[in-house]
Amino acid sequence: MTLTAPASATRAALAVPPKPSKLVPTLTAVVVGAVVLLSTAGLDVSWEDLLAIPGEVWHYGTLMFVDPNWEKLPRALVETWRSISMAWLGAILCVLFSIPLGMLAARGVGPSWVRIPLRGLFAVIRAVPEVVIALILLTVTGLTPFTGALALGLAGIGTQGKWTYETIESVQEGASDAVRAAGGSAAEIARWALWPAAAPGLMSFALYRFEINIRTSAVLGLIGAGGIGNMLSNYTNFREWDTVGMLLIVVVAATMVMDAISGAIRRRIMEGAGTRDLGRIL
């Protein structure tokens, strides 16, 4: 005897599912397009001048890089080192404050009455650019490289603090449970369970913050905080384009070198010693 499925079940199995509605994606695209058009229309831009940009870039690029003025190279190197020192000091200040505060802002470490205000503080700091912080500090510390270092350190606390508590919260709970089961306090859990697991990532983030500070220190120099940016601003105002070209070459070269060194250190922290290094140790 042959069993046959009911006709209604067969039709249900062969029914084509309805097409998904495209209303929401279409409305989203329309809204985004309208926002872009309104933003563009509100800009006081002469769109005819856009056609002249390639020619202007070629003109000033020729003035800067065809025959750079290398007479100011020694001073440029000194100012570049000052910018790097400013970036390094800012990174150290950032790490000293952001890692302890970030650990307190992590779930399972700090109480809610400490964690929530700290996260709000980090968000506020991230919303303020380094240049604005430097302008505020100028009224207190004056036009010195120390102002730039303080601005970089304070501005980095927001980002580094967020990285810290997110890294702490992503650590597996096995070690924490073991320390807690042994009677460890919250401070002992953070010291012996969370910190060893999160330290490589946090050190990597700190070095990455140093890389960001190197680029930002040149911008802070434009407002008088010292370093290569201050020198670049002065010669740009004087329209000495051959010297400006030399300074840009120095800035790019120094940034690439420091990025390469910092990247190598970060890879060593995250990946550990290679086979050759282990052979030397053994």
Side-chain angles (χ1 to χ4, degrees):
M1 181 177 180
T2 304
L3 298 177
T4 58
S8 58
T10 304
R11 286 195 299 269
L14 298 177
V16 178
K19 293 183 178 180
S21 175
K22 296 183 179 180
L23 179 61
V24 175
T26 302
L27 289 177
T28 303
V30 170
V31 171
V32 172
V35 171
V36 172
L37 291 177
L38 291 175
S39 302
T40 304
L43 294 176
D44 187 12
V45 177
S46 177
W47 298 103
E48 293 80 6
D49 294 340
L50 292 176
L51 300 176
I53 290 179
E56 293 295 328
V57 171
W58 178 263
H59 172 67
Y60 286 104
T62 302
L63 293 177
M64 288 188 291
F65 301 114
V66 169
D67 187 18
N69 180 15
W70 298 102
E71 294 180 359
K72 304 294 184 180
L73 179 61
R75 183 188 168 194
L77 294 177
V78 172
E79 295 296 334
T80 300
W81 175 251
R82 184 170 296 174
S83 294
I84 294 174
S85 302
M86 188 165 56
W88 179 246
L89 180 58
I92 292 176
L93 291 174
C94 169
V95 169
L96 289 178
F97 287 96
S98 63
I99 290 183
L101 295 177
M103 294 186 71
L104 286 175
R107 292 187 180 89
V109 179
S112 59
W113 59 271
V114 173
R115 183 175 68 250
I116 295 175
L118 282 177
R119 294 193 178 198
L121 176 63
F122 295 153
V124 171
I125 294 175
R126 289 197 305 273
V128 183
E130 291 88 346
V131 176
V132 176
I133 296 177
L135 289 174
I136 296 174
L137 292 175
L138 284 177
T139 60
V140 180
T141 57
L143 296 173
T144 62
F146 183 63
T147 301
L150 281 178
L152 293 173
L154 291 176
I157 290 175
T159 304
Q160 187 74 24
K162 180 179 175 64
W163 286 340
T164 298
Y165 71 71
E166 288 183 347
T167 302
I168 293 295
E169 290 176 354
S170 64
V171 172
Q172 295 182 355
E173 298 182 356
S176 301
D177 294 338
V179 176
R180 189 179 294 108
S185 61
E188 291 171 337
I189 292 173
R191 169 62 183 88
W192 299 110
L194 299 177
W195 173 251
L202 295 180
M203 293 301 101
S204 177
F205 287 144
L207 287 172
Y208 182 60
R209 186 67 210 180
F210 170 59
E211 297 177 14
I212 296 175
N213 286 355
I214 292 177
R215 301 177 181 87
T216 310
S217 62
V219 179
L220 294 182
L222 299 177
I223 63 173
I228 191 66
N230 194 12
M231 190 176 178
L232 185 61
S233 175
N234 292 335
Y235 282 99
T236 301
N237 293 333
F238 293 145
R239 300 296 190 270
E240 296 188 18
W241 301 115
D242 52 350
T243 305
V244 172
M246 180 272 297
L247 294 174
L248 290 177
I249 293 173
V250 171
V251 169
V252 172
T255 303
M256 292 177 64
V257 170
M258 297 307 300
D259 283 355
I261 295 174
S262 177
I265 296 175
R266 282 194 291 114
R267 286 192 298 272
R268 179 62 179 269
I269 291 174
M270 297 303 295
E271 299 174 4
T275 304
R276 296 181 181 180
D277 297 328
L278 290 176
R280 294 193 190 102
I281 295 174
L282 296 176

